[in-house]
């Protein structure tokens, strides 16, 4: 036994129950995690075919209302950018300005060779 000197510090009457208690608590925690985070355990324990709980859980998910995503838009005459008026389903309107990204100079653009050279 490699750790025989441990029992000179901790008596076996204290160390063995503490060790076995730690093993029992760890095992209980793992079993609780498996039961709460899986659906097949409940199916197995109730005698149903495996995967039945998944189908019931998928059926209970609410289908989003597709009417809320409907919106109309009107493209106005462009000024500095394009202006779009978005008309929502409840009648409210929002004006949005769409602008192109600005291209800023970079170090690689300064080092690039010219496209054409005239002699």
């Amino acid at each position: 036994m490699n750790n025989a000197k441990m029992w000179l510090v901790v008596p076996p009457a204290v160390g063995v129950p503490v060790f076995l208690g730690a093993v029992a608590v760890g095992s209980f925690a793992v079993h609780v995690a498996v039961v709460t985070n899986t659906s097949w355990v409940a199916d197995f324990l109730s005698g149903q075919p495996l995967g039945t709980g998944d189908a019931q859980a998928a059926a209970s998910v609410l289908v989003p209302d597709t009417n809320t995503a409907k919106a109309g838009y009107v493209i106005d005459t462009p000024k500095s950018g394009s202006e779009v008026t978005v008309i929502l389903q409840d009648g409210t309107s929002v004006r949005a300005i769409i602008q192109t990204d600005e291209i800023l100079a970079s170090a690689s653009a300064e080092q690039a060779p010219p496209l054409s050279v005239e002699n």
Side-chain angles (χ1 to χ4, degrees):
M1 189 185 229
N2 290 338
N3 297 323
K5 292 182 180 181
M6 178 183 76
W7 300 116
L8 296 175
V9 179
V10 179
V14 174
V16 172
V18 167
F19 175 74
L20 292 177
V23 169
V25 168
S27 175
F28 183 73
V30 167
H31 283 82
V32 167
V34 168
V35 169
T36 58
N37 293 323
T38 60
S39 62
W40 63 267
V41 174
D43 293 340
F44 176 75
L45 294 176
S46 64
Q48 297 177 358
L50 298 181
T52 309
D54 293 334
Q56 291 173 354
S60 68
V61 174
L62 296 176
V63 178
D65 187 13
T66 56
N67 292 332
T68 58
K70 292 181 182 177
Y73 62 93
V74 177
I75 300 177
D76 297 334
T77 57
K79 295 177 184 172
S80 62
S82 296
E83 291 187 4
V84 177
T85 303
V86 179
I87 304 168
L88 301 175
Q89 189 175 8
D90 61 352
T92 58
S93 63
V94 177
R95 183 171 299 267
I97 299 173
I98 302 172
Q99 296 177 341
T100 59
D101 293 336
E102 294 182 29
I103 300 174
L104 302 175
S106 64
S108 62
E110 295 173 1
Q111 297 172 357
L115 297 175
S116 62
V117 177
E118 296 180 17
N119 292 334

